[in-house]
Amino acid sequence: MSMNILGIESSCDETGVAIVNTQRGLLAHALHSQIAMHQAYGGVVPELASRDHIRRILPLTHEVLKKAGVALNEIDAVAYTAGPGLAGALLVGASVAQAFAWTHDLPAIAIHHLEGHLLSPMLADPVPEFPFVALLVSGGHTQIMRVDGVGQYELLGETLDDAAGEAFDKSAKLMGLPYPGGPHLSALASQGDASVYQLPRPMKHSKDLDFSFSGLKTAVLTTLRKLEQAGEISEQDKANLAAGAQAAIVDVLGHKAIKAMKETGLKRLVVAGGVGANLELRQFLKDEMRKISGEVFFPPHALCTDNGAMIAHAASERVKAGLVDLSKREYNVSVRPRWDLAQI
């Protein structure tokens, strides 16, 4: 059965809309980032994010319908991010999706944001086959999962404090880099020498698959204070420190991911989430996976951050797996800002 699924993502500071066909795949997607709006505040302002989603969703929907060559009456289901995320932002997307579904008598499919990320590498070529180990790395989440199929997820390890993306962003902020800090820190790191400052690798050699990054942020702050006491901090000092911070994060992520591969005996690793766009992490994992004769898969760069394509795609995969009751017509605008992936 061929279905056109409209997907809406509004969990934080990106408004994404896409259309996925259950047989033909991704037909079109459009994305608006709120980075410029939030830069003045040094971080996401939830109320402003919610208001901007209201302004963007309908124009993006019209854009996607036009790109895909799909008429409004050719949409067969509407998927939306129900959580986790910012409550107000989630409510905008949920309200639009539920209203659209109710108006056109369509099923409304609530999607877990992390499941969207988890399955997003399947939008790339080649497509990873189940089962695989997934490394979810974003601004708010760092987890290692075993994935045996759609809806079959086992948590193997997660961060005990800061996520990897937070470690990037907070370290960048300490260095005075613009928001969002992660990409700026990575760019600066390319000009530095990671061996100058040997920063800690928290929990790298722990027996489990959990992470901790708050100690790294503290080490960056301590190093900066020492440099300030010694005199003016040069741009090269900052570049070296950025390179050291990035190397520490990549080292820990890579080490734990490979440990998970060895413990599960699986040979396929999927990396998803915004930090998955980091070039150093990608190269590190490619090199390490070659050593154990494994394969590593990444989503397309354009789909690493939050986007509607991953939401529509996750809905499509759930439909094909028989996990969605397409006859259901219960319209209830409710979201789950805190939603454990194990509960779906």
Side-chain angles (χ1 to χ4, degrees):
M1 178 179 64
S2 176
M3 292 179 60
N4 290 325
I5 300 177
L6 177 69
I8 296 173
E9 156 62 28
S10 68
S11 65
C12 189
D13 59 344
E14 274 117 3
T15 314
V17 180
I19 296 175
V20 164
N21 181 274
T22 50
Q23 291 185 351
R24 296 161 55 201
L26 179 61
L27 302 184
H29 75 101
L31 182 71
H32 174 77
S33 172
Q34 300 177 0
I35 286 176
M37 181 179 70
H38 295 297
Q39 273 180 335
Y41 307 95
V44 177
V45 181
E47 179 64 21
L48 294 181
S50 301
R51 293 180 183 182
D52 200 61
H53 287 310
I54 294 171
R55 286 192 290 267
R56 307 293 178 179
I57 286 182
L58 291 182
L60 287 174
T61 301
H62 289 300
E63 179 184 339
V64 163
L65 288 166
K66 185 176 180 181
K67 280 183 180 178
V70 173
L72 207 57
N73 61 5
E74 292 177 318
I75 297 296
D76 300 300
V78 187
Y80 64 95
T81 304
L86 301 175
L90 290 167
L91 281 168
V92 174
S95 298
V96 172
Q98 294 277 355
F100 184 96
W102 177 77
T103 303
H104 297 275
D105 190 28
L106 301 175
I109 306 171
I111 295 296
H112 193 292
H113 180 76
L114 294 185
E115 183 175 38
H117 276 305
L118 194 65
L119 300 178
S120 63
M122 297 175 71
L123 289 165
D125 186 21
V127 176
E129 296 180 3
F130 299 115
F132 55 74
V133 169
L135 175 63
L136 287 172
V137 277
S138 67
H141 302 87
T142 299
Q143 298 177 325
I144 295 182
M145 311 283 296
R146 179 187 172 117
V147 180
D148 288 299
V150 178
Q152 300 175 48
Y153 313 124
E154 178 188 356
L155 179 65
L156 302 178
E158 61 185 336
T159 184
L160 303 181
D161 40 61
D162 287 349
E166 285 179 292
F168 270 108
D169 290 340
K170 290 178 179 179
S171 296
K173 190 170 184 177
L174 290 171
M175 293 182 210
L177 300 178
Y179 169 84
H184 289 286
L185 186 142
S186 295
L188 183 60
S190 66
Q191 304 168 37
D193 181 351
S195 67
V196 174
Y197 302 109
Q198 291 297 320
L199 298 176
R201 272 69 168 161
M203 294 186 69
K204 176 182 175 180
H205 297 294
S206 65
K207 294 181 180 180
D208 53 34
L209 293 170
D210 290 332
F211 303 87
S212 172
F213 291 105
S214 62
L216 176 61
K217 174 192 62 181
T218 302
V220 169
L221 176 60
T222 302
T223 303
L224 284 170
R225 285 177 175 170
K226 288 180 180 178
L227 288 170
E228 287 173 352
Q229 291 171 358
E232 185 177 347
I233 304 176
S234 69
E235 285 303 308
Q236 190 58 52
D237 288 332
K238 287 185 178 181
N240 293 338
L241 185 54
Q246 176 174 260
I249 296 169
V250 168
D251 191 17
V252 173
L253 290 174
H255 182 85
K256 292 285 183 163
I258 299 304
K259 180 178 173 65
M261 300 299 294
K262 292 178 179 178
E263 289 187 2
T264 60
L266 298 178
K267 291 295 183 180
R268 286 181 289 273
L269 173 67
V270 161
V271 182
V275 181
N278 183 276
L279 297 178
E280 290 296 319
L281 177 62
R282 287 188 173 221
Q283 192 58 54
F284 183 95
L285 289 174
K286 287 177 183 177
D287 293 341
E288 291 300 309
M289 289 298 288
R290 273 195 289 268
K291 294 177 184 178
I292 61 172
S293 301
E295 296 178 276
V296 59
F297 301 84
F298 304 92
H301 270 282
L303 300 181
C304 283
T305 58
D306 298 347
N307 61 84
M310 70 182 194
I311 302 306
H313 172 70
S316 173
E317 291 301 308
R318 292 186 72 80
V319 166
K320 289 188 287 185
L323 299 176
V324 176
D325 181 0
L326 294 174
S327 66
K328 189 176 180 180
R329 295 294 189 274
E330 293 180 9
Y331 304 112
N332 178 18
V333 182
S334 62
V335 295
R336 302 178 69 175
R338 297 183 181 277
W339 187 8
D340 192 330
L341 185 59
Q343 296 175 347
I344 66 171

